[in-house]
Amino acid sequence: MTLQSSPSDILPTYDRVVLDFYAQRDRSLFEKPMLDRMLGVTPRNMSPRRLLDLGCGTGAPIATYLAERGLAVTGVDGAAGMVELFARTLPRETAVHADMRGLDLAQTFDAILAWNSFFHLSPDDQRSMFEVFRRHAAPNAALMFTTGTSAGEVWGEAAGAEVYHSSLDPAEYRDLLAQHDFKLIDHRPEDPSCHGHTIWLARYIGAPGHA
């Protein structure tokens, strides 16, 4: 019987398959409509506007697209191989090798993105991440992340390797956003225009850097 992966396997798995992942990653930028939507609600608190990309991967194509749109990107990933490729792909941006869980960079950002990364965390770690989001949010910051459609755990595949995913119930995500001073702007379950991704977009309405 094949053992199923767990949240603790995610970072070692991505380190192991990083080159295959880089080669196989879809670069059609199907995410563009939602990235543009996020840009449309990202405030201009700073010049250039700053983006925190949590689980940034190799930086291609998402961080590359956002950097080309004038954002100063800080990419954070717990897999060292991903961070190394991110730094090569985007040498003018900031690459940070760190686990997003409990992250504290002591700065705030105009936009926070966790695209196809947040959902690799356990349910409890996902709940704790909302404090991380709030801690790094500048006034009116945009927050966008992807999840599953309902509470539960599933196993998927990345570059031929089994990877863990989990999700909370959508009602709990709504509650967590509200509890941490984020106003929901859009929720798109299994958006057909974005390859079936379930996407959340919110705006921070609390005090900057609240801990």
Side-chain angles (χ1 to χ4, degrees):
M1 179 182 296
T2 301
L3 294 175
Q4 291 181 316
S5 64
S6 72
S8 62
D9 299 322
I10 290 299
L11 299 179
T13 296
Y14 274 110
D15 259 332
R16 188 174 70 251
V17 304
V18 60
L19 294 178
D20 288 338
F21 178 86
Y22 181 73
Q24 297 172 20
R25 176 61 163 93
D26 184 344
R27 289 178 173 77
S28 65
L29 204 65
F30 65 84
E31 307 94 341
K32 182 179 181 299
M34 285 308 300
L35 297 176
D36 288 345
R37 183 83 194 281
M38 181 188 74
L39 288 173
V41 300
T42 298
R44 297 185 178 275
N45 293 314
M46 308 172 192
S47 183
R49 292 184 291 177
R50 297 181 186 177
L51 167 75
L52 177 60
D53 187 355
L54 295 169
C56 60
T58 67
I62 289 178
T64 299
Y65 175 75
L66 295 170
E68 289 171 349
R69 295 302 173 280
L71 273 69
V73 180
T74 295
V76 173
D77 206 295
M82 293 290 184
V83 173
E84 182 179 347
L85 281 178
F86 181 97
R88 292 182 189 176
T89 302
L90 293 162
R92 296 184 178 180
E93 309 304 324
T94 302
V96 178
H97 180 211
D99 194 318
M100 69 172 75
R101 292 168 292 189
L103 185 71
D104 188 353
L105 297 178
Q107 59 181 301
T108 59
F109 297 82
D110 301 300
I112 301 168
L113 177 66
W115 188 274
N116 287 1
S117 56
F118 172 74
F119 61 15
H120 286 312
L121 304 180
S122 70
D124 281 344
D125 284 337
Q126 288 190 28
R127 294 179 181 105
S128 298
M129 278 301 299
F130 284 84
E131 187 56 50
V132 175
F133 295 153
R134 177 163 62 177
R135 183 182 303 142
H136 294 91
N140 299 311
L143 167 66
M144 190 162 71
F145 57 94
T146 54
T147 69
T149 56
S150 58
E153 298 176 307
V154 298
W155 284 262
E157 179 268 337
E162 184 182 63
V163 290
Y164 169 91
H165 301 79
S166 74
S167 185
L168 308 178
D169 185 86
E172 185 170 3
Y173 285 125
R174 291 175 184 272
D175 288 345
L176 286 163
L177 285 167
Q179 290 167 19
H180 293 83
D181 301 319
F182 287 94
K183 180 180 179 181
L184 181 62
I185 294 174
D186 200 0
H187 172 219
R188 300 191 180 191
E190 296 185 324
D191 185 351
S193 69
C194 205
H195 287 200
H197 284 63
T198 295
I199 306 153
W200 299 79
L201 177 63
R203 184 195 304 278
Y204 183 60
I205 57 174
H210 180 87

CSV table of all heavy atoms in Angstrom, one decimal, residues 118 125-136 143 145 147 168 172-182 200 210:
chain,number,residue,atom,x,y,z
A,118,PHE,N,-1.0,27.9,0.2
A,118,PHE,CA,-1.8,27.9,1.4
A,118,PHE,C,-2.5,26.6,1.6
A,118,PHE,O,-2.6,26.0,2.8
A,118,PHE,CB,-2.7,29.1,1.4
A,118,PHE,CG,-3.7,29.2,2.5
A,118,PHE,CD1,-3.3,29.6,3.8
A,118,PHE,CD2,-5.1,29.0,2.3
A,118,PHE,CE1,-4.3,29.7,4.8
A,118,PHE,CE2,-6.0,29.1,3.3
A,118,PHE,CZ,-5.6,29.5,4.5
A,125,ASP,N,-3.0,24.9,10.7
A,125,ASP,CA,-2.0,25.8,10.2
A,125,ASP,C,-2.6,26.9,9.3
A,125,ASP,O,-2.2,28.0,9.3
A,125,ASP,CB,-0.9,25.1,9.5
A,125,ASP,CG,0.1,24.4,10.4
A,125,ASP,OD1,0.2,24.9,11.6
A,125,ASP,OD2,0.8,23.5,10.0
A,126,GLN,N,-3.7,26.5,8.6
A,126,GLN,CA,-4.4,27.4,7.8
A,126,GLN,C,-5.1,28.5,8.6
A,126,GLN,O,-5.0,29.7,8.4
A,126,GLN,CB,-5.4,26.7,6.9
A,126,GLN,CG,-4.8,25.9,5.7
A,126,GLN,CD,-5.8,25.5,4.7
A,126,GLN,OE1,-6.9,26.1,4.5
A,126,GLN,NE2,-5.5,24.4,4.1
A,127,ARG,N,-5.7,28.0,9.7
A,127,ARG,CA,-6.3,29.0,10.6
A,127,ARG,C,-5.3,30.0,11.2
A,127,ARG,O,-5.6,31.2,11.3
A,127,ARG,CB,-7.0,28.2,11.8
A,127,ARG,CG,-8.2,27.3,11.3
A,127,ARG,CD,-8.8,26.6,12.5
A,127,ARG,NE,-9.9,25.7,12.0
A,127,ARG,CZ,-9.8,24.4,11.9
A,127,ARG,NH1,-8.7,23.8,12.2
A,127,ARG,NH2,-10.8,23.7,11.4
A,128,SER,N,-4.1,29.5,11.5
A,128,SER,CA,-3.1,30.4,12.1
A,128,SER,C,-2.5,31.3,11.1
A,128,SER,O,-2.0,32.4,11.4
A,128,SER,CB,-1.9,29.5,12.7
A,128,SER,OG,-2.4,28.7,13.7
A,129,MET,N,-2.6,31.0,9.8
A,129,MET,CA,-2.1,31.9,8.7
A,129,MET,C,-2.8,33.2,8.6
A,129,MET,O,-2.2,34.2,8.2
A,129,MET,CB,-2.1,31.2,7.4
A,129,MET,CG,-1.0,30.2,7.1
A,129,MET,SD,0.6,31.0,7.2
A,129,MET,CE,0.5,32.2,5.9
A,130,PHE,N,-4.0,33.3,9.1
A,130,PHE,CA,-4.7,34.6,9.0
A,130,PHE,C,-4.1,35.6,9.9
A,130,PHE,O,-4.2,36.8,9.5
A,130,PHE,CB,-6.2,34.4,9.3
A,130,PHE,CG,-6.9,33.7,8.1
A,130,PHE,CD1,-6.9,32.3,8.0
A,130,PHE,CD2,-7.5,34.5,7.1
A,130,PHE,CE1,-7.5,31.7,6.9
A,130,PHE,CE2,-8.2,33.9,6.1
A,130,PHE,CZ,-8.2,32.5,5.9
A,131,GLU,N,-3.5,35.2,10.9
A,131,GLU,CA,-2.7,36.2,11.7
A,131,GLU,C,-1.4,36.7,11.0
A,131,GLU,O,-1.0,37.8,11.0
A,131,GLU,CB,-2.3,35.6,13.1
A,131,GLU,CG,-1.7,36.7,14.0
A,131,GLU,CD,-2.6,37.9,14.2
A,131,GLU,OE1,-3.8,37.7,14.6
A,131,GLU,OE2,-2.1,39.0,14.1
A,132,VAL,N,-0.8,35.7,10.2
A,132,VAL,CA,0.3,36.1,9.4
A,132,VAL,C,-0.1,37.1,8.3
A,132,VAL,O,0.6,38.0,8.0
A,132,VAL,CB,1.0,34.8,8.8
A,132,VAL,CG1,2.1,35.2,7.8
A,132,VAL,CG2,1.5,33.9,9.9
A,133,PHE,N,-1.2,36.8,7.7
A,133,PHE,CA,-1.7,37.7,6.7
A,133,PHE,C,-1.9,39.1,7.3
A,133,PHE,O,-1.5,40.1,6.7
A,133,PHE,CB,-3.1,37.2,6.1
A,133,PHE,CG,-3.1,35.9,5.4
A,133,PHE,CD1,-4.2,35.1,5.3
A,133,PHE,CD2,-2.0,35.5,4.7
A,133,PHE,CE1,-4.2,34.0,4.6
A,133,PHE,CE2,-1.9,34.3,4.0
A,133,PHE,CZ,-3.1,33.5,3.9
A,134,ARG,N,-2.6,39.2,8.4
A,134,ARG,CA,-2.9,40.5,9.0
A,134,ARG,C,-1.6,41.2,9.4
A,134,ARG,O,-1.5,42.4,9.2
A,134,ARG,CB,-3.8,40.3,10.3
A,134,ARG,CG,-4.1,41.6,11.0
A,134,ARG,CD,-5.2,41.5,11.9
A,134,ARG,NE,-5.1,40.5,13.0
A,134,ARG,CZ,-6.0,40.3,13.9
A,134,ARG,NH1,-7.1,41.0,14.0
A,134,ARG,NH2,-5.8,39.4,14.9
A,135,ARG,N,-0.6,40.4,10.0
A,135,ARG,CA,0.6,41.0,10.4
A,135,ARG,C,1.4,41.7,9.3
A,135,ARG,O,2.1,42.7,9.5
A,135,ARG,CB,1.5,39.9,11.0
A,135,ARG,CG,2.8,40.3,11.6
A,135,ARG,CD,3.6,39.1,12.1
A,135,ARG,NE,2.8,38.4,13.1
A,135,ARG,CZ,2.8,37.0,13.2
A,135,ARG,NH1,3.5,36.3,12.3
A,135,ARG,NH2,2.1,36.5,14.1
A,136,HIS,N,1.2,41.2,8.1
A,136,HIS,CA,2.0,41.8,6.9
A,136,HIS,C,1.1,42.7,6.0
A,136,HIS,O,1.6,43.1,5.0
A,136,HIS,CB,2.5,40.6,6.1
A,136,HIS,CG,3.6,39.8,6.8
A,136,HIS,ND1,3.3,38.8,7.6
A,136,HIS,CD2,4.9,40.0,7.0
A,136,HIS,CE1,4.4,38.3,8.2
A,136,HIS,NE2,5.4,39.1,7.8
A,143,LEU,N,-5.6,40.8,-0.4
A,143,LEU,CA,-5.2,39.5,-0.1
A,143,LEU,C,-5.9,38.5,-1.0
A,143,LEU,O,-7.1,38.6,-1.2
A,143,LEU,CB,-5.6,39.1,1.4
A,143,LEU,CG,-5.6,37.7,1.8
A,143,LEU,CD1,-4.1,37.2,1.8
A,143,LEU,CD2,-6.2,37.4,3.1
A,145,PHE,N,-5.9,34.2,-2.1
A,145,PHE,CA,-5.4,32.9,-1.9
A,145,PHE,C,-6.4,31.9,-2.5
A,145,PHE,O,-7.5,32.2,-2.9
A,145,PHE,CB,-5.2,32.6,-0.4
A,145,PHE,CG,-6.5,32.8,0.5
A,145,PHE,CD1,-7.3,31.7,0.7
A,145,PHE,CD2,-6.8,34.0,1.0
A,145,PHE,CE1,-8.4,31.8,1.5
A,145,PHE,CE2,-7.9,34.2,1.8
A,145,PHE,CZ,-8.8,33.1,2.0
A,147,THR,N,-8.0,27.8,-2.3
A,147,THR,CA,-8.4,26.8,-1.4
A,147,THR,C,-9.1,25.6,-2.1
A,147,THR,O,-9.3,25.7,-3.3
A,147,THR,CB,-9.3,27.3,-0.3
A,147,THR,OG1,-10.6,27.6,-0.8
A,147,THR,CG2,-8.8,28.5,0.4
A,168,LEU,N,-10.7,24.1,4.7
A,168,LEU,CA,-11.7,24.4,5.7
A,168,LEU,C,-13.1,24.6,4.9
A,168,LEU,O,-13.1,24.7,3.7
A,168,LEU,CB,-11.4,25.6,6.5
A,168,LEU,CG,-10.0,25.7,7.1
A,168,LEU,CD1,-9.8,27.1,7.8
A,168,LEU,CD2,-9.8,24.5,8.0
A,172,GLU,N,-16.1,28.9,7.3
A,172,GLU,CA,-15.0,29.2,8.2
A,172,GLU,C,-14.0,30.2,7.7
A,172,GLU,O,-13.5,31.1,8.4
A,172,GLU,CB,-14.3,27.9,8.7
A,172,GLU,CG,-13.3,28.2,9.8
A,172,GLU,CD,-12.7,27.0,10.4
A,172,GLU,OE1,-13.1,25.8,10.0
A,172,GLU,OE2,-11.9,27.1,11.4
A,173,TYR,N,-13.7,30.0,6.4
A,173,TYR,CA,-12.8,31.0,5.7
A,173,TYR,C,-13.4,32.4,5.8
A,173,TYR,O,-12.7,33.4,6.1
A,173,TYR,CB,-12.6,30.7,4.3
A,173,TYR,CG,-11.6,29.6,4.0
A,173,TYR,CD1,-12.0,28.5,3.3
A,173,TYR,CD2,-10.3,29.6,4.6
A,173,TYR,CE1,-11.1,27.4,3.1
A,173,TYR,CE2,-9.5,28.5,4.4
A,173,TYR,CZ,-9.9,27.4,3.6
A,173,TYR,OH,-9.0,26.4,3.4
A,174,ARG,N,-14.7,32.5,5.6
A,174,ARG,CA,-15.4,33.8,5.7
A,174,ARG,C,-15.2,34.4,7.1
A,174,ARG,O,-15.0,35.6,7.3
A,174,ARG,CB,-16.9,33.7,5.3
A,174,ARG,CG,-17.1,33.5,3.9
A,174,ARG,CD,-18.6,33.2,3.6
A,174,ARG,NE,-18.8,32.9,2.2
A,174,ARG,CZ,-19.0,33.8,1.2
A,174,ARG,NH1,-19.0,35.1,1.5
A,174,ARG,NH2,-19.2,33.4,0.0
A,175,ASP,N,-15.5,33.5,8.1
A,175,ASP,CA,-15.3,34.0,9.5
A,175,ASP,C,-13.9,34.4,9.9
A,175,ASP,O,-13.7,35.4,10.6
A,175,ASP,CB,-15.8,32.8,10.5
A,175,ASP,CG,-17.3,32.6,10.5
A,175,ASP,OD1,-18.0,33.5,10.0
A,175,ASP,OD2,-17.7,31.5,11.0
A,176,LEU,N,-12.9,33.6,9.4
A,176,LEU,CA,-11.5,34.0,9.7
A,176,LEU,C,-11.1,35.3,9.0
A,176,LEU,O,-10.4,36.1,9.7
A,176,LEU,CB,-10.6,32.8,9.2
A,176,LEU,CG,-10.6,31.6,10.1
A,176,LEU,CD1,-10.1,30.4,9.3
A,176,LEU,CD2,-9.9,31.8,11.4
A,177,LEU,N,-11.6,35.5,7.8
A,177,LEU,CA,-11.3,36.8,7.2
A,177,LEU,C,-11.9,37.9,8.0
A,177,LEU,O,-11.2,38.9,8.3
A,177,LEU,CB,-11.9,36.8,5.8
A,177,LEU,CG,-11.2,36.0,4.7
A,177,LEU,CD1,-12.0,35.9,3.5
A,177,LEU,CD2,-9.8,36.7,4.4
A,178,ALA,N,-13.1,37.8,8.4
A,178,ALA,CA,-13.8,38.9,9.2
A,178,ALA,C,-13.1,39.1,10.6
A,178,ALA,O,-12.9,40.2,11.0
A,178,ALA,CB,-15.3,38.5,9.4
A,179,GLN,N,-12.7,38.0,11.2
A,179,GLN,CA,-12.1,38.1,12.5
A,179,GLN,C,-10.7,38.8,12.5
A,179,GLN,O,-10.3,39.4,13.5
A,179,GLN,CB,-11.9,36.7,13.1
A,179,GLN,CG,-13.2,36.0,13.5
A,179,GLN,CD,-13.0,34.5,13.8
A,179,GLN,OE1,-11.8,34.0,14.0
A,179,GLN,NE2,-14.0,33.7,13.8
A,180,HIS,N,-10.1,38.7,11.3
A,180,HIS,CA,-8.8,39.3,11.2
A,180,HIS,C,-8.8,40.6,10.3
A,180,HIS,O,-7.8,41.0,9.8
A,180,HIS,CB,-7.8,38.3,10.6
A,180,HIS,CG,-7.5,37.1,11.5
A,180,HIS,ND1,-8.4,36.0,11.6
A,180,HIS,CD2,-6.5,36.9,12.4
A,180,HIS,CE1,-7.9,35.2,12.5
A,180,HIS,NE2,-6.8,35.7,13.0
A,181,ASP,N,-10.0,41.2,10.3
A,181,ASP,CA,-10.1,42.5,9.7
A,181,ASP,C,-9.9,42.5,8.1
A,181,ASP,O,-9.4,43.5,7.6
A,181,ASP,CB,-9.2,43.5,10.3
A,181,ASP,CG,-9.4,43.6,11.8
A,181,ASP,OD1,-10.6,43.6,12.2
A,181,ASP,OD2,-8.4,43.7,12.6
A,182,PHE,N,-10.3,41.5,7.5
A,182,PHE,CA,-10.3,41.4,6.0
A,182,PHE,C,-11.8,41.4,5.5
A,182,PHE,O,-12.6,40.6,6.0
A,182,PHE,CB,-9.6,40.2,5.5
A,182,PHE,CG,-8.1,40.3,5.6
A,182,PHE,CD1,-7.5,39.7,6.7
A,182,PHE,CD2,-7.3,40.9,4.7
A,182,PHE,CE1,-6.1,39.8,6.9
A,182,PHE,CE2,-6.0,41.0,4.8
A,182,PHE,CZ,-5.3,40.4,5.9
A,200,TRP,N,-10.2,33.3,-3.4
A,200,TRP,CA,-10.7,34.3,-2.5
A,200,TRP,C,-9.9,35.5,-2.6
A,200,TRP,O,-8.6,35.5,-2.7
A,200,TRP,CB,-10.5,33.8,-1.0
A,200,TRP,CG,-11.2,32.5,-0.7
A,200,TRP,CD1,-10.8,31.2,-1.0
A,200,TRP,CD2,-12.4,32.4,0.0
A,200,TRP,NE1,-11.7,30.3,-0.5
A,200,TRP,CE2,-12.7,31.0,0.1
A,200,TRP,CE3,-13.3,33.3,0.6
A,200,TRP,CZ2,-13.9,30.5,0.8
A,200,TRP,CZ3,-14.4,32.8,1.3
A,200,TRP,CH2,-14.7,31.5,1.3
A,210,HIS,N,-1.0,44.9,12.5
A,210,HIS,CA,-1.6,44.4,13.8
A,210,HIS,C,-1.1,43.1,14.2
A,210,HIS,O,-1.1,42.2,13.4
A,210,HIS,CB,-3.1,44.4,13.7
A,210,HIS,CG,-3.8,44.0,14.9
A,210,HIS,ND1,-4.2,44.9,15.9
A,210,HIS,CD2,-4.3,42.8,15.4
A,210,HIS,CE1,-4.8,44.3,16.9
A,210,HIS,NE2,-4.8,43.0,16.6
